[in-house]
Amino acid sequence: MRTPFVAGNWKMNKSADAAVSFVREIASQLEAIDGIDIAVCPPFVALPGVAAALAGSRVGVGAQNMYYEESGAYTGEISPTMLQGLCRYVILGHSERRALFGETDDGVNKKILAALAHQLTPIVCVGESLAQNEAGETQSFVSGQVRAAFAGLSDWQAAVCVVAYEPIWAIGTGRSATSQQAEDIIRTSVRDVLTDLFGPDTAQAIRIQYGGSVTVDNIAEYMRQPDIDGALVGGASLKSSFVDLVRSAVV
Ligand code: PEP
């Protein structure tokens, strides 16, 4: 009932030209994969070129961040009005933004509301650190992040969002969560919390991705889990083998 969704987060990689060449190389192969939604999220400067290269394609484009104000004295920031019409998705609250750039739950919530007000689909990232995981705090921490991120959203706004559960200890480390670990947290700390906030119909409609060292070799295992609807992929989305990864996600 939920269409699977795999998105590539290119992070701070590829120049504008390299991004366009890469997307031209993989677009037609991605196009040919049915039964799944696909997106690539290049750096801001590559968004116009990548969006133009994918115009009319079913491969979507996303930004990696956004500020919540529409315009003004916010040096270095990009607003929702600048992204509206340029891309469909926006990754919000990625753990690298939270850890390295001081993003807070409150700021992430404001960004989600602003994105929705501008017809952008937020990919809302949540996930615990290694220390929190080892201290047995994963469920309470991730549940808290989900409640904070979705505060003040209506049912229909929540239904539009995508959530990416990304344990920080699994991002870029090659140490992925097992599919059962990911499923357990996604069910208990994301889907059940969304059910509590918005009711079962809305919670069942929301797509929840796993992220953290997803590769062509492990994606199918995650996709077999009932509450995992796709993946947010970092490193493995930078190579042309991303096509094989997406193909393997259709199980
Ligand atoms: C990410 O950046 O969201 C991510 C999951 O990275 P990686 O796939 O490289 O672990």
Side-chain angles (χ1 to χ4, degrees), residues 80-116:
T81 41
M82 294 170 184
L83 295 181
Q84 188 170 9
L86 185 59
C87 60
R88 173 162 176 195
Y89 302 97
V90 57
I91 299 172
L92 296 174
H94 192 281
S95 60
E96 288 153 14
R97 303 266 354 140
R98 295 179 190 255
L100 303 174
F101 302 100
E103 293 211 3
T104 62
D105 278 344
D106 180 54
V108 172
N109 173 248
K110 288 193 172 99
K111 290 181 177 194
I112 293 167
L113 287 163
L116 290 165

Side-chain angles (χ1 to χ4, degrees), residues 7-11 91 94-96 125 164-168 170-175 210-215 231-238:
N9 172 16
W10 295 359
K11 310 195 189 192
I91 299 172
H94 192 281
S95 60
E96 288 153 14
C125 300
Y165 166 60
E166 303 202 298
I168 297 170
I171 297 180
T173 59
R175 181 185 166 191
Y210 165 75
S213 298
V214 172
T215 65
L232 183 57
V233 183
S237 71
L238 294 168

Side-chain angles (χ1 to χ4, degrees), residues 117-160:
H118 291 84
Q119 286 74 52
L120 295 159
T121 298
I123 301 176
V124 181
C125 300
V126 295
E128 83 287 1
S129 67
L130 183 61
Q132 288 166 326
N133 184 280
E134 288 177 347
E137 294 166 358
T138 300
Q139 289 196 5
S140 60
F141 183 74
V142 174
S143 306
Q145 282 186 316
V146 173
R147 284 184 190 280
F150 282 81
L153 271 70
S154 66
D155 293 2
W156 70 265
Q157 285 179 313
V160 171

